[in-house]
Amino acid sequence: MAVNEDWGKPVERRGRLTAVLALATLISAFGSSFQYGYNVAVINSPSPFMQQFYNTTYLERYGRPMEDNFLTLLWSLSVSMYPLGGFFGSLMVAPLVNKLGRKGTLLFNNIFSIVPAVMMGVSDIAKSYEIIIVARFIVGICAGLSSNVVPMYLGELSPKNLRGALGIIPQLFITIGILSAQVLGIRNILGNSTGWPLMLGLTGIPALIELLLLPFFPESPRYMLIQRGDEKTARKALQRLRGWDDVDAEMSEMHLEDQSERAEGRLSVLSLLSQPSLRWQLVSIIIMNMGQQLSGVNAIYYYADSIYATAGVKQNDIQYVTVGTGAVNVFMTIAAVFIVEASGRRLLLLCGFGICCGACVLLTVALKIQTVTWMPYISITCVIIYVIGHAIGPSPIPYVVTTEMFRQSARPAAFMVAGSVHWLSNFTVGLVFPFLERGLSPYSFIIFSFICLVTLVYIWLVVPETKNKTFLEVCQMFAKRNKVEIKLGDGDLPLKEGKESLEDAIKVTAF
């Protein structure tokens, strides 16, 4: 901690983006988050050829073509097994991160990427569409773990003034993964009758890179100190990440959390649900994750080609429009990285859901009116506006806020709940949307619009701004709504300045 010579008071040193922190962020995000996005979009462009493979395989086995309804069901399963696997991956988050650590879990998670990559790569040779469905489930487990563990890992590595920006990096790599799959899905590249097995199998490459490089970077200092009790390793990791030796201020804050952990114990999901001091934080992450997924974003990514075809876009142009949409998504997520610390989390969430709500209403109108020749361009514009809105707020911010709303003892269980809600909602959209589109046609987007509006209203009324706050300060912000009083002692003083006991640093009492 630095000292202001004029006033003689301690001045907090702002964290900076060191090489170690930057590389740990990039490697973990590329090795894990990239795959999440890649596998969201990878089966969109080659879907006609994959469905033809399903039909041909069925015909060779049984001597008759597959019925249309059965093919639709089989394809819906191929899409929705991925988020279902994500749900089961989310259930594994808490036990794995508590046992193996954040970095250890990411390394272990590569098993759930490399194995299904091989399975999907040989599916055509094996003449089995069942292999694809099973592999989609396994790679979904990988995505379910990574989508929760990477934000947790980066949130615990980052100084509080960079936590928002670095917390969006996983979402940025998700969008880059989506764009990569869309580019590779162009007919002249791999989105054709011979290239799709290789396209599906490429998901294993980022996992191999992460497996080779991530071991050279530090484990979360908070995990090492608070959950492993290894102060020496935690201090060394923090010094590497910050680029200076004087880390007493952050160590002091972590010791405060350590006392909270000892008082409360490590929270399971059941104990988290019954904790009065965390009630509204838990409700908030559930609402935000449901809103994020049920707003229809993955309906657009899973079935983008189908939506554009319904809008009247020419068949040859659809693949390029899809790539253009992915590029806009990446660009806007990059913009969110740079503005999140200035604008705050709450404003981006409100603006994002508001834009998505309006775009869904306009898209419904555009898809309904097909008599005007230029209407397909309006539909494309509506989808792009929707993607912009989702990219600046609803897509990246819930992960950041989930990290910031919970202390160390509750964070793994909180991510487990948030991830389960996220992936169950994702699974519902992936499974139901083809039937919803067939039954309601354009009006299916009105449902998404309503969900965006409800989520926006909740955030406006309940969710506070969390930027540049410590984890303990965020708990204080929720105290009144939770009807508890959280008192901090002199825990903001570094240990070296005379704090001998932290037993009374944190007190939580009901009103």
Side-chain angles (χ1 to χ4, degrees), residues 17 38 46 75 93 116 153 240 258 286 288 290 297 345 366 369 403 414 459 496 506:
L17 186 63
Y38 185 84
W75 186 248
V93 169
Y153 179 55
R240 283 187 67 196
D258 189 19
I286 290 173
M288 283 189 288
M290 287 182 68
V297 62
R345 289 71 158 133
I369 303 172
T403 300
I459 292 168
K496 68 178 184 179
I506 301 173

Side-chain angles (χ1 to χ4, degrees), residues 247-277:
V247 292
D248 286 344
E250 282 194 80
M251 291 294 292
S252 176
E253 187 212 331
M254 286 193 283
H255 273 288
L256 277 176
E257 285 197 62
D258 189 19
Q259 292 300 318
S260 175
E261 170 104 0
R262 292 180 187 181
E264 298 175 1
R266 190 179 302 156
L267 298 184
S268 66
V269 172
L270 289 177
S271 56
L272 176 65
L273 294 174
S274 61
Q275 199 76 338
S277 62

Side-chain angles (χ1 to χ4, degrees), residues 311-324:
V313 180
K314 293 180 181 178
Q315 195 62 41
N316 282 342
D317 295 338
I318 287 176
Q319 56 186 333
Y320 302 107
V321 174
T322 301
V323 170

Side-chain angles (χ1 to χ4, degrees), residues 4 20 22 30 43 93 95 111 183 204 228 250 440 455 485 500:
N4 187 317
V20 173
F30 175 66
I43 63 173
V93 169
I111 295 172
V183 171
R228 296 290 296 273
E250 282 194 80
L440 296 178
T455 309
E485 184 179 2
E500 297 178 358

Side-chain angles (χ1 to χ4, degrees), residues 36 79-91 137 140 143-144 147-148 286 289-295 298 302 399 415-433:
Y36 174 4
V79 173
S80 58
M81 280 298 105
Y82 176 65
L84 184 62
F87 168 70
F88 281 95
S90 296
L91 296 181
F137 177 80
S147 65
N148 291 285
I286 290 173
N289 277 276
M290 287 182 68
Q292 181 197 61
Q293 292 302 306
L294 295 180
S295 62
N298 282 314
Y302 288 144
Y399 298 110
F415 266 98
M416 190 168 162
V417 172
S420 299
V421 171
H422 172 107
W423 285 103
L424 276 178
S425 301
N426 190 329
F427 170 74
T428 301
V429 172
L431 185 64
V432 170
F433 184 74

Side-chain angles (χ1 to χ4, degrees), residues 246-432:
D246 184 6
V247 292
D248 286 344
E250 282 194 80
M251 291 294 292
S252 176
E253 187 212 331
M254 286 193 283
H255 273 288
L256 277 176
E257 285 197 62
D258 189 19
Q259 292 300 318
S260 175
E261 170 104 0
R262 292 180 187 181
E264 298 175 1
R266 190 179 302 156
L267 298 184
S268 66
V269 172
L270 289 177
S271 56
L272 176 65
L273 294 174
S274 61
Q275 199 76 338
S277 62
L278 298 173
R279 184 179 299 122
W280 280 99
Q281 292 97 308
L282 190 62
V283 173
S284 296
I285 64 167
I286 290 173
I287 296 294
M288 283 189 288
N289 277 276
M290 287 182 68
Q292 181 197 61
Q293 292 302 306
L294 295 180
S295 62
V297 62
N298 282 314
I300 288 176
Y301 292 136
Y302 288 144
Y303 303 106
D305 287 12
S306 172
I307 292 170
Y308 287 134
T310 303
V313 180
K314 293 180 181 178
Q315 195 62 41
N316 282 342
D317 295 338
I318 287 176
Q319 56 186 333
Y320 302 107
V321 174
T322 301
V323 170
T325 304
V328 170
N329 194 11
V330 172
F331 177 79
M332 293 310 301
T333 307
I334 292 173
V337 172
F338 289 100
I339 66 175
V340 65
E341 294 300 349
S343 63
R345 289 71 158 133
R346 188 170 182 268
L347 179 62
L348 290 183
L349 283 169
L350 292 171
C351 290
F353 277 111
I355 292 170
C356 290
C357 180
C360 284
V361 173
L362 292 175
L363 183 59
T364 301
V365 176
L367 290 173
K368 189 64 179 174
I369 303 172
Q370 295 293 322
T371 54
V372 184
T373 55
W374 42 263
M375 194 53 68
Y377 299 104
I378 301 298
S379 299
I380 293 170
T381 302
C382 290
V383 171
I384 290 174
I385 291 172
Y386 177 94
V387 167
I388 289 172
H390 221 277
I392 64 171
S395 283
I397 302 300
Y399 298 110
V400 178
V401 174
T402 302
T403 300
E404 294 178 330
M405 282 185 178
F406 295 89
R407 286 173 285 168
Q408 192 78 13
S409 60
R411 197 172 294 127
F415 266 98
M416 190 168 162
V417 172
S420 299
V421 171
H422 172 107
W423 285 103
L424 276 178
S425 301
N426 190 329
F427 170 74
T428 301
V429 172
L431 185 64
V432 170

